[in-house]
Amino acid sequence: MAQYQSCIICTSPRSGSTLLCRLLAATGKAGVPDSHFHEPSVSAWMEDFGLQADQYPSEKEQLTAVFAAAQACGTGNSDLFGLRLQRHSFDFFMQKLDFLYPDLPSDAERLRVAFGQILFIHLTRPNKLEQAISRLRAEQSGLWHRNADGTELERLSAPQQPAYDAVAIARHINDMTVDDENWTSWFKREGITPLRITYDDLSRDPSAILSGILEELGLDGSIARIIPLPTARLSDEINRSWAQRFQNENEG
């Protein structure tokens, strides 16, 4: 039996998780990790998976169907389930898992029963100023990700003119710092030792990071050498100038 049946990426926005998810999916061996439980809403989950609420009379039946659909989607044609979890919906996600498995003593045990033996990855971006500016730029531009060839991969709204906003940057810095702290506290409480990866290492050598994860999963790490880079960076001179301005305004 394989050492792991699942891989869960625990992260916060603008940490490089889309790049990591797409790299893992491209191997054909490591599942199809994505935010399969992105919104904190059962009805949104059901809509995402094309499930009709009137076909499932009870909440337990709805959740059972959702989790089965998510596992199928996150596994694809591989033998391993992949999932990305963001903190904004994590508590709701765990509440629903607790509803399905009320007699289990911990979050870690509920996750294990639901998804098998799990490799947890804690993906962080140490430079919170850069992370906050990246998020603000994505919110303003509406463009969250580009394909490697420069075409748009994910757009959530029409573009606006970029506008420096120190209050929004500070708020994002605080929120993302708290996200990291909450993940760290949760790992400690649950007795989980995650594989720790930073945005900096991932962006500097994505092939090496992918190879290491594959080997940790008991898969062939050499596969990473043939996986093309799936996304392009969005940061530009505006990001750099805003970072310098924010630092200048907050010196001392």
Side-chain angles (χ1 to χ4, degrees), residues 6 10 17 22 28 50-51 83 92 196 208 213 216 231 235 237:
S6 298
C10 304
S17 63
R22 287 182 168 261
L51 301 171
L83 175 64
F92 181 84
R196 300 186 187 278
I213 295 173
E216 187 71 23
T231 60
S235 63
E237 184 55 39

Side-chain angles (χ1 to χ4, degrees), residues 33-223:
D34 205 343
S35 296
H36 303 300
F37 300 94
H38 184 64
E39 295 297 330
S41 162
V42 176
S43 60
W45 294 350
M46 295 193 71
E47 183 178 347
D48 287 345
F49 294 116
L51 301 171
Q52 302 299 318
D54 57 8
Q55 296 180 13
Y56 305 94
S58 69
E59 183 178 5
K60 184 173 184 178
E61 289 172 301
Q62 291 178 4
L63 289 171
T64 299
V66 163
F67 275 80
Q71 282 194 281
C73 186
T75 302
N77 295 321
S78 73
D79 295 322
L80 190 142
F81 171 66
L83 175 64
R84 171 175 55 188
L85 289 176
Q86 304 274 16
R87 284 302 311 189
H88 81 276
S89 58
F90 177 74
D91 290 342
F92 181 84
F93 169 77
M94 289 309 309
Q95 288 169 13
K96 296 309 174 184
L97 207 55
D98 182 36
F99 180 81
L100 283 176
Y101 305 105
D103 298 324
L104 297 178
S106 67
D107 289 349
E109 186 65 13
R110 283 183 278 275
L111 286 163
R112 188 194 65 78
V113 169
F115 302 119
Q117 191 67 20
I118 300 166
L119 172 65
F120 290 92
I121 297 174
H122 188 199
L123 175 62
T124 60
R125 189 167 182 171
N127 191 319
K128 287 290 176 279
L129 175 56
E130 289 182 357
Q131 186 178 5
I133 291 172
S134 176
R135 177 154 190 176
L136 180 60
R137 289 293 310 282
E139 291 171 345
Q140 291 182 349
S141 70
L143 180 62
W144 287 75
H145 301 99
R146 284 191 188 276
N147 292 302
D149 64 4
T151 58
E152 293 188 2
L153 171 61
E154 183 182 22
R155 171 173 290 282
L156 299 183
S157 62
Q160 306 172 36
Q161 278 294 110
Y164 177 80
D165 186 337
V167 173
I169 291 171
R171 182 178 69 251
H172 286 325
I173 289 173
N174 178 73
D175 290 347
M176 291 166 174
T177 299
V178 170
D179 283 348
D180 283 0
E181 292 170 349
N182 285 339
W183 278 125
T184 298
S185 297
W186 181 77
F187 289 133
K188 183 177 181 180
R189 188 183 77 231
E190 296 296 322
I192 294 168
T193 302
L195 179 64
R196 300 186 187 278
I197 296 172
T198 68
Y199 170 92
D200 305 298
D201 290 339
L202 177 62
S203 59
R204 182 167 44 247
D205 196 343
S207 181
I209 294 297
L210 177 59
S211 178
I213 295 173
L214 292 174
E215 290 175 358
E216 187 71 23
L217 289 167
L219 301 170
D220 182 3
S222 68
I223 297 172

